[in-house]
Amino acid sequence: MKFQPKTDWKYDDTPTEGDFNRIEQGIVEALKRGEVNNEGLVVVEQLIGTHCADRTNPHNVTTSQINKIEKNSNNNISPLSNFSEGITIMESDLMENGFPFQWGTLTTHRVLEYGWQLFSKDNNILHTRTWNPDTKAWQNWSQIETTTGAQSKANKAELNAKDYIDQQIAGIEFDDIDREAADISYYVRTTGNDDNDGKSEATAFATLGRALREWKPITIGGKRTFNIGEGVELSESLTPIHRELVIKNKFGGDFVFNFNSAHALNIVFENLQCKIRVENFEKYNSNILEFGMGEGCYVENCQMVDFNNVTCNLSGKESSYAAFYFSRSRGRVGEATFTSYRPWIIAADAHSFVFVWMPKGTMRDNTEIPYRASGGAIIDVLGNQVTNATVLKEEEDAGRVFGV
């Protein structure tokens, strides 16, 4: 039979068994007629090999022509066996398919009995899951982060933060923020005048209350020092009976109170997100103990409060309240002197850490305990010089006292 060539092949035509037999028969006939020699066959083989090795997609095959299966042909519980090996892609737009979203693209990666799927709604939301070959079932879907999705969350968090700050500072005026970068000392003297600027002894304020007006609700400037001289009357700035200097709700800055070893008072600081040092004063005791209260320097929810060179004397008085009490705060008590005291320092919860430096003095009697930590609080003592105490520390509910 004479060879009949086919010269109208199309891209999508599929060669059949008959086509290959016809081609082979044509080659045999050509060899018999001497139209093709072995050298020509070698050239043909080389051309075919070159074409097979070409990875530049010479036929311009698109991804939509490879492993794309019919829309909605599988659903959320379709087994891995429904998908051919390699990578397959399916579009879904039916709610009953049960995927994480009604609309999306399901990409399945299968290697033998192992596989995982990726369901993408858009560039912001991706879900993935794996096939369990033991249970023959898919695991639950897990959402994964995308760069776009993460940026969207970050933008939302920033807006929420701005809204929160706006709510917190609502009502705060421009004058409520201390922006002066330089360190400033304010002086309070018996010779002062509250109409002065308080920035030198010659131009000192007359009262502590006037000086405290310079402490703004928000400070983003330098250190502020309040220097209170001998003989200044503090009563108008302290609570009656217990003589407490009460300061609450301040943010930012670094502050120092120097009472020049000339005043007796108690300190009550609450919600101060700043650094504070209070030095050279006597802790006041009135000998009046109210139910559930007492007289001590009380620090709650503060960033850092440092007490330095404080005299604490309970001789002849009945109060049993601690000299220093810290709650949800970091603090330091340095070079304090205690006379006839009961508890010296109490740290009350897991958010409290207190460093005690070179304390010295005596307890009321040898049954009293100077350092008490509870609720996970930590007290670290260095250079302890307490006398007349059989037990130096008390630890409750995971509280710890180190150094004694």
Side-chain angles (χ1 to χ4, degrees):
M1 179 179 175
K2 186 179 179 179
F3 175 68
Q4 298 292 329
K6 176 178 171 61
T7 59
D8 59 347
W9 286 98
K10 301 294 189 297
Y11 176 79
D12 292 322
D13 288 352
T14 303
T16 66
E17 181 184 58
D19 290 323
F20 279 104
N21 289 333
R22 179 177 52 80
I23 293 169
E24 292 287 335
Q25 185 61 40
I27 293 173
V28 171
E29 292 177 0
L31 286 171
K32 287 180 180 180
R33 293 194 301 269
E35 295 175 4
V36 178
N37 54 31
N38 287 334
E39 184 179 355
L41 287 175
V42 171
V43 172
V44 171
E45 289 176 354
Q46 289 176 344
L47 291 173
I48 293 174
T50 301
H51 183 74
C52 291
D54 191 347
R55 297 292 186 267
T56 62
N57 193 17
H59 298 296
N60 297 317
V61 178
T62 65
T63 55
S64 63
Q65 295 171 305
I66 301 176
N67 289 345
K68 184 170 183 180
I69 58 180
E70 185 179 352
K71 179 188 292 186
N72 302 316
S73 58
N74 288 278
N75 58 37
N76 193 52
I77 61 173
S78 297
L80 181 65
S81 59
N82 278 27
F83 303 88
S84 60
E85 287 204 38
I87 301 174
T88 56
I89 300 173
M90 186 198 82
E91 294 181 0
S92 174
D93 61 4
L94 297 178
M95 182 67 73
E96 53 266 31
N97 282 343
F99 295 119
F101 297 96
Q102 178 177 348
W103 293 277
T105 301
L106 178 71
T107 303
T108 303
H109 298 245
R110 179 186 173 189
V111 179
L112 300 176
E113 59 179 335
Y114 302 95
W116 68 276
Q117 290 183 327
L118 178 72
F119 191 87
S120 56
K121 177 184 178 184
D122 50 39
N123 290 333
N124 295 329
I125 304 177
L126 300 175
H127 287 78
T128 185
R129 66 177 181 177
T130 58
W131 175 260
N132 188 326
D134 297 323
T135 62
K136 307 297 183 184
W138 291 103
Q139 305 290 346
N140 293 330
W141 289 103
S142 298
Q143 184 173 345
I144 59 177
E145 195 69 88
T146 66
T147 301
T148 305
Q151 185 62 55
S152 177
K153 289 182 179 179
N155 293 341
K156 184 176 181 181
E158 182 180 8
L159 289 175
N160 290 340
K162 289 179 178 178
D163 290 342
Y164 175 79
I165 292 173
D166 288 342
Q167 294 172 9
Q168 296 301 310
I169 66 174
I172 295 181
E173 303 295 336
F174 183 83
D175 290 342
D176 289 334
I177 303 177
D178 184 349
R179 296 176 173 83
E180 177 58 50
D183 295 345
I184 301 175
S185 292
Y186 295 104
Y187 296 84
V188 183
R189 296 291 187 266
T190 56
T191 57
N193 189 312
D194 283 350
D195 292 330
N196 292 335
D197 64 10
K199 295 181 179 180
S200 69
E201 292 200 58
T203 60
F205 295 130
T207 64
L208 176 59
R210 173 62 187 87
L212 289 175
R213 283 163 51 188
E214 299 300 320
W215 190 351
K216 307 297 183 181
I218 299 176
T219 300
I220 55 177
K223 179 186 291 187
R224 304 291 179 259
T225 299
F226 299 95
N227 189 303
I228 299 93
E230 183 178 0
V232 174
E233 179 53 56
L234 303 182
S235 297
E236 50 86 24
S237 300
L238 308 178
T239 62
I241 303 176
H242 299 298
R243 291 182 63 81
E244 296 165 328
L245 176 62
V246 181
I247 299 177
K248 302 180 180 182
N249 307 322
K250 304 286 188 180
F251 181 86
D254 189 351
F255 298 86
V256 176
F257 286 86
N258 183 359
F259 289 95
N260 290 291
S261 301
H263 298 277
L265 69 156
N266 286 303
I267 302 295
V268 177
F269 288 161
E270 297 180 21
N271 303 319
L272 304 181
Q273 300 308 307
C274 50
K275 297 179 180 179
I276 311 170
R277 179 183 177 94
V278 187
E279 60 187 11
N280 304 320
F281 73 99
E282 178 183 350
K283 203 199 80 62
Y284 178 76
N285 293 287
S286 67
N287 203 31
I288 298 176
L289 178 63
E290 299 176 4
F291 178 75
M293 296 180 61
E295 290 176 318
C297 292
Y298 180 80
V299 179
E300 180 177 8
N301 193 30
C302 293
Q303 178 182 338
M304 178 65 190
V305 178
D306 178 2
F307 295 101
N308 190 66
N309 191 26
V310 185
T311 300
C312 308
N313 190 341
L314 268 182
S315 298
K317 298 185 178 181
E318 297 300 322
S319 175
S320 62
Y321 198 72
F324 300 97
Y325 185 98
F326 294 86
S327 173
R328 295 180 296 161
S329 303
R330 290 190 303 158
R332 176 183 178 274
V333 179
E335 299 181 284
T337 301
F338 300 87
T339 303
S340 192
Y341 243 83
R342 284 174 172 169
W344 287 8
I345 298 168
I346 294 177
D349 49 59
H351 300 285
S352 295
F353 174 82
V354 182
F355 176 67
V356 184
W357 164 254
M358 299 297 291
K360 59 184 178 181
T362 60
M363 304 302 296
R364 176 68 56 89
D365 57 61
N366 60 11
T367 63
E368 300 292 346
I369 302 173
Y371 308 110
R372 298 180 181 178
S374 62
I378 295 175
I379 298 177
D380 192 4
V381 184
L382 183 62
N384 176 68
Q385 300 178 49
V386 61
T387 60
N388 192 33
T390 303
V391 179
L392 294 178
K393 63 182 180 181
E394 181 177 83
E395 299 173 327
E396 296 180 340
D397 300 327
R400 296 299 303 274
V401 178
F402 298 96
V404 294

